[in-house]
């Protein structure tokens, strides 16, 4: 699993350490699945080319959290893009979708430019 630094900063703006740990456990649970985007115990919904984990209540209290991620295949690596405290009913705001799309594309562009660790070329 990979977590963008910006995603950690997002979450720490509104989550306590215990709340953050609760969400981290949900991602660990997802990572055990053959297809991480399909986990019976975690509420996951697709958005564009990525997904959102949705949670509220319990240790989160009145906080309605959305954590955005995608699964990088073929390695099945979960890449966490960001988190928001959802304030309004309805769909995820367009500005949030655009931000997460940008983060995903930036991550993938950086990943694609990384040197080949084997020393081989393409």
């Amino acid at each position: 699993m990979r977590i963008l630094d910006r995603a950690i900063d997002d979450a720490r703006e509104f989550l306590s350490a215990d709340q953050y740990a609760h969400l981290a456990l949900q991602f660990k649970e997802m990572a055990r699945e053959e297809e991480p985007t399909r986990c019976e115990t975690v509420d996951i919904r697709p958005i564009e080319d990525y997904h959102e984990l949705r949670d509220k209540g319990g240790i989160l209290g009145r906080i309605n959290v959305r954590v955005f991620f995608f699964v990088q295949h073929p390695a099945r690596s979960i890449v966490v893009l960001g988190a928001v405290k959802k304030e309004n009913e309805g769909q995820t705001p367009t500005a949030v979708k655009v931000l997460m799309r940008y983060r995903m594309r930036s991550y993938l562009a950086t990943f694609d430019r990384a040197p080949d660790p084997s020393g081989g070329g393409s």
Side-chain angles (χ1 to χ4, degrees):
M1 181 166 4
R2 297 180 178 148
I3 304 171
L4 301 183
D5 290 341
R6 289 170 270 166
I8 294 170
D9 294 342
D10 290 348
R12 292 207 169 133
E13 285 183 19
F14 62 90
L15 295 174
S16 70
D18 289 341
Q19 291 168 330
Y20 185 94
H22 164 75
L23 291 168
L25 286 174
Q26 289 187 353
F27 273 91
K28 287 179 183 177
E29 199 169 316
M30 289 167 38
R32 288 192 287 263
E33 298 291 330
E34 187 170 325
E35 175 50 57
T37 60
R38 293 191 202 110
C39 183
E40 290 186 24
T41 59
V42 179
D43 185 2
I44 301 168
R45 306 281 170 95
I47 298 182
E48 299 179 0
D49 294 337
Y50 53 92
H51 290 79
E52 69 177 355
L53 178 148
R54 301 156 35 110
D55 198 4
K56 67 179 176 179
I59 194 167
L60 298 173
R62 301 180 73 108
I63 299 173
N64 190 350
V65 177
R66 299 294 187 262
V67 182
F68 303 93
F69 69 96
F70 73 99
V71 179
Q72 190 174 22
H73 292 287
R76 280 188 44 243
S77 181
I78 298 171
V79 180
V80 179
L81 302 168
V84 297
K85 178 180 176 184
K86 192 159 183 276
E87 302 286 349
N88 302 326
E89 292 298 318
Q91 293 186 345
T92 302
T94 301
V96 173
K97 290 180 184 180
V98 169
L99 177 62
M100 296 308 150
R101 185 182 325 129
Y102 170 79
R103 287 181 180 179
M104 184 174 84
R105 288 179 182 163
S106 294
Y107 173 83
L108 290 171
T110 301
F111 187 81
D112 288 342
R113 287 192 305 261
D116 183 350
S118 67
S122 28

